[in-house]
Amino acid sequence: MNILVINSGSSSIKFQGIEMPSEKVICKGIVEQIGSANARLSYNTNHINIQETGGLETHKDSLQRVVSLLLDPEKGVIKQISDIHMVGHRVVHGGNSFSKTTIINAEVKEKIKQYASLAPLHNPHNLQGILLAEHLFPSVKQVAVFDTAFHQTIPLVAQKYAIPNMFFTEHQIQVYGFHGTSHKYVSERAIDYLKLEKSKIISIHLGNGCSMTAIVDGKSIDHSLGFTPSTGLIMGSRSGDIDHSIIFYMVNNLGYSVNDVENLLNKESGMLGLTGYNDLRDIQAGVEKGNTNCILAMEINAYRIKKYIGSYASIMNGLDAIIFTAGIGENSSMLRKMVCSNLDYLGIAIDHSKNEEVAKEIREINTSLSKVKILVIPTNEELEIAKQAYELLE
Ligand code: AMP
């Protein structure tokens, strides 16, 4: 069975064709910067590696081009549309409605639309990917895998905000949690790798969005993103934790509208606001050149992660392993080193030469004396989505 996994974002569509249950990747790629002059598509199979530009003005153009490549007699991997047996979609916000992977129907689409107000940067684009895929694969089952689902185990004590109860009971204002597909995937891999029966793990997902999860015996018990994907760690362009009074101050005293502030905190803050750069590679290059804004931004970033490590070790009353994952977590030895330094009190000791090694597989970067394992685990949300979609059929 072939499952096509689609992760449709604001300006990109990531896709992967995965044969199940063998988990063999038959094709993968990404269309980036859709609609801009720099729009480009990369498409890989085990015999071909294509980069294209042009004709990628909209998400519709982009997905259509992907499908025509899949079907291409030379470059393709399928003969006909019906060779794709299921399409699995990443959906960021499923609120309290979805604790599991779900077959998409009109009601599910309506819910995803409703939750767009809680994840305005993600849900509308996830839904657009679903609608396009329904059009391109009309008789194929479409499945939604929600980033929030893994966090449905977060207990009330961590789920509720200290605001009047009716906001929780009547308006479902609470911690939801995100990046669940990634946290679930890497924590399961860690538990397998370390052969742990009982486990206390902190998973640190550092990509464009960044979050941390406290995971006890495979279950999420607390998480740094909350009602929306905006709290906690410092992200590419999102501020993470701030004193919410700053919002009122900007509106009441600095002449900003509420929409301006929302935009500012989501799209112009974080590492971008601190340095002028969104991509950590540029910021690291700035550090090498002695750019003081970049140096301080890296320190603020690492400091915030450390604070969450301390707080999660304390709520779990112990710690077996921390996991670094996603674009930054997997690749930035600089940030990993800054985060793990001076944590010997917690039994965390990084091996600096192992930290510098580059590998695409799960690896341990702690010293042999470290009480806590430090793991770098490449996330694979696409495989996790395919696995969950496949399980739905079994
Ligand atoms: P993701 O959301 O997991 O795709 O992560 C994307 C982010 O990872 C980019 O915005 C970069 O900041 C970061 N990234 C990717 N490659 C590297 C690298 N080699 N070193 C440091 N950061 C990286």
Side-chain angles (χ1 to χ4, degrees), residues 117-188:
S117 59
L118 304 184
L121 298 182
H122 299 98
N123 269 35
H125 310 293
N126 303 155
L127 184 60
Q128 189 183 19
I130 291 170
L131 297 174
L132 289 171
E134 283 181 334
H135 175 70
L136 292 164
F137 301 91
S139 51
V140 175
K141 265 205 183 86
Q142 312 277 330
V143 170
V145 179
F146 296 92
D147 276 20
T148 43
F150 180 58
H151 300 296
Q152 293 286 305
T153 48
I154 292 179
L156 270 181
V157 70
Q159 203 181 42
K160 276 188 85 170
Y161 291 110
I163 55 176
N165 282 325
M166 76 93 171
F167 289 103
F168 178 70
T169 49
E170 288 174 34
H171 301 286
Q172 292 79 49
I173 295 181
Q174 58 169 81
V175 167
Y176 287 105
F178 300 88
H179 298 141
T181 314
S182 172
H183 289 291
K184 180 174 190 293
Y185 177 80
V186 295
S187 58
E188 282 175 359

Side-chain angles (χ1 to χ4, degrees), residues 14 205-209 278-281 284 326-328 331-332 379:
K14 287 188 197 159
H205 175 109
L206 305 173
N208 276 323
N278 193 323
D279 193 310
L280 204 83
R281 284 164 288 200
Q284 291 182 158
I328 295 169
N331 295 300
S332 176
T379 194

Side-chain angles (χ1 to χ4, degrees), residues 51-223:
Q51 309 284 330
E52 280 188 6
T53 52
L56 305 167
E57 264 91 65
T58 63
H59 281 64
K60 188 171 175 196
D61 298 336
S62 305
L63 203 54
Q64 256 164 354
R65 181 64 196 135
V66 170
V67 172
S68 64
L69 279 169
L70 296 179
L71 287 165
D72 187 282
E74 278 170 28
K75 303 166 194 157
V77 288
I78 53 169
K79 291 205 167 58
Q80 60 231 343
I81 287 286
S82 59
D83 291 339
I84 296 291
H85 303 101
M86 251 179 152
V87 183
H89 296 269
R90 176 195 183 202
V91 180
V92 165
H93 213 310
N96 274 336
S97 304
F98 303 102
S99 57
K100 288 199 177 83
T101 296
T102 308
I103 303 234
I104 297 171
N105 57 24
E107 201 185 322
V108 173
K109 282 185 278 185
E110 192 47 43
K111 289 270 184 208
I112 295 171
K113 198 165 156 189
Q114 277 172 22
Y115 290 125
S117 59
L118 304 184
L121 298 182
H122 299 98
N123 269 35
H125 310 293
N126 303 155
L127 184 60
Q128 189 183 19
I130 291 170
L131 297 174
L132 289 171
E134 283 181 334
H135 175 70
L136 292 164
F137 301 91
S139 51
V140 175
K141 265 205 183 86
Q142 312 277 330
V143 170
V145 179
F146 296 92
D147 276 20
T148 43
F150 180 58
H151 300 296
Q152 293 286 305
T153 48
I154 292 179
L156 270 181
V157 70
Q159 203 181 42
K160 276 188 85 170
Y161 291 110
I163 55 176
N165 282 325
M166 76 93 171
F167 289 103
F168 178 70
T169 49
E170 288 174 34
H171 301 286
Q172 292 79 49
I173 295 181
Q174 58 169 81
V175 167
Y176 287 105
F178 300 88
H179 298 141
T181 314
S182 172
H183 289 291
K184 180 174 190 293
Y185 177 80
V186 295
S187 58
E188 282 175 359
R189 289 221 59 197
I191 289 167
D192 273 0
Y193 175 82
L194 298 171
K195 300 188 175 53
L196 294 172
E197 288 207 355
K198 296 244 151 224
S199 56
K200 294 176 177 174
I201 290 175
I202 298 175
S203 158
I204 311 174
H205 175 109
L206 305 173
N208 276 323
C210 300
S211 67
M212 287 173 60
T213 308
I215 303 168
V216 175
D217 301 338
K219 292 200 167 64
S220 168
I221 64 148
D222 203 353
H223 180 70

Side-chain angles (χ1 to χ4, degrees), residues 326-370:
I328 295 169
E330 290 163 33
N331 295 300
S332 176
S333 55
M334 186 187 283
L335 189 61
R336 288 195 303 256
K337 180 177 168 186
M338 293 170 79
V339 168
C340 294
S341 64
N342 298 322
L343 284 181
D344 39 318
Y345 175 74
L346 287 180
I348 295 173
I350 191 165
D351 179 317
H352 294 295
S353 72
K354 283 186 187 159
N355 182 40
E356 294 303 329
E357 285 166 15
V358 180
K360 290 228 176 301
E361 260 312 300
I362 186 166
R363 64 203 168 94
E364 240 177 271
I365 59 165
N366 47 275
T367 65
S368 56
L369 295 177
S370 182

